[in-house]
Amino acid sequence: MERNQSQITEFILVGFQLSKNMELLLFGIFSLLYVCNLLANGMILGLICLDPRLHSPMYFFLSHLAIIDISFPSSNLPTFLENLVKHTKSISFDPCTVQMLFNLTFGSIECLILLAMSYDRYVAICHPLQYTVIMNWRVCSILAIACWACGFALALVQVILLLRLPFCGPQKVNHFFCDIRSVLKLACGDIWMNEMFLFADGVLYLVGPLALVLVSYMRILWAILKIQSKKGRKKAFSTCSSHLCVVGFYFGLAMIVYMVPDNSQQEEHLKILFLFYTLFNPLLNPLVYSVRNAQVKAAFHRVLQKKTT
């Protein structure tokens, strides 16, 4: 494949300036967290597949969220962990491009899936009698396909725009993985179009979905307050509280990481935040949905009982 990049064939991922012993210690800690993330999200996927009582629109979207939470850290953490244990920080141009494509894809899809989940909760609380008609499997499938297609389309456009730029040095990417904003700083050409598209995509895939989620939950809260019985209000709110926790944590971190203007003094803080976003956010989702969700806990107990009998 021919491309404009004439001289640079690899980048150096600056990452964090640490001693070799500290890198090995972090390798152990981050590897453990990564394995826990794979097991926790794998457990959520397994429960949804095995338990027929979880075959509903809410858990259909939750299964997609679990797939993203496995895929997103898997697109950059293995390279980061390899660099920690080998004490090398180089990455070739093509793997770097693939890493950017996957990161943008899965990050965008997660925003849209969370939006679809909030719409599902809105229909369930505000229009309970029409829920099965509105959220039928055809609608759920279309929403899921649209989320994946739009997320991939966004990432592909961004990567194509980046590939048109010449890279002639320096090689050092001030990040622990190939973040597109950090890579763009190394381009020799004019990047105003790339920055404009990145900002527009941030508004479209972060600010837009967050605004719609907030509108949905305002309507949901209003509908819950109209419920006469205290038990009914508690049950209605409990069905949304897990999703609300995940939305608040995810969008809060994502807005800081992606929408804060570039500032050389904040780069180290943003790297730490992004590491937290990559490691802990995917692990938080299964923990929240398993601890706060009675149906998931009940499904887990039923699976355990089947294993023991």
Side-chain angles (χ1 to χ4, degrees), residues 131-152:
Y131 178 69
T132 54
V133 176
I134 297 173
M135 296 303 293
N136 58 63
W137 286 111
R138 182 173 177 272
V139 170
C140 291
S141 300
I142 291 172
L143 284 173
I145 292 169
C147 290
W148 284 85
C150 291
F152 179 73

Side-chain angles (χ1 to χ4, degrees), residues 12-28 78-91:
I12 305 297
L13 299 174
V14 174
F16 302 98
Q17 302 302 314
L18 303 167
S19 65
K20 289 187 177 181
N21 289 336
M22 182 58 72
E23 285 185 339
L24 289 174
L25 175 63
L26 290 179
F27 170 79
T79 303
F80 177 52
L81 294 174
E82 182 184 2
N83 290 342
L84 282 177
V85 75
K86 289 184 176 180
H87 311 296
T88 58
K89 298 182 178 181
S90 62
I91 183 171

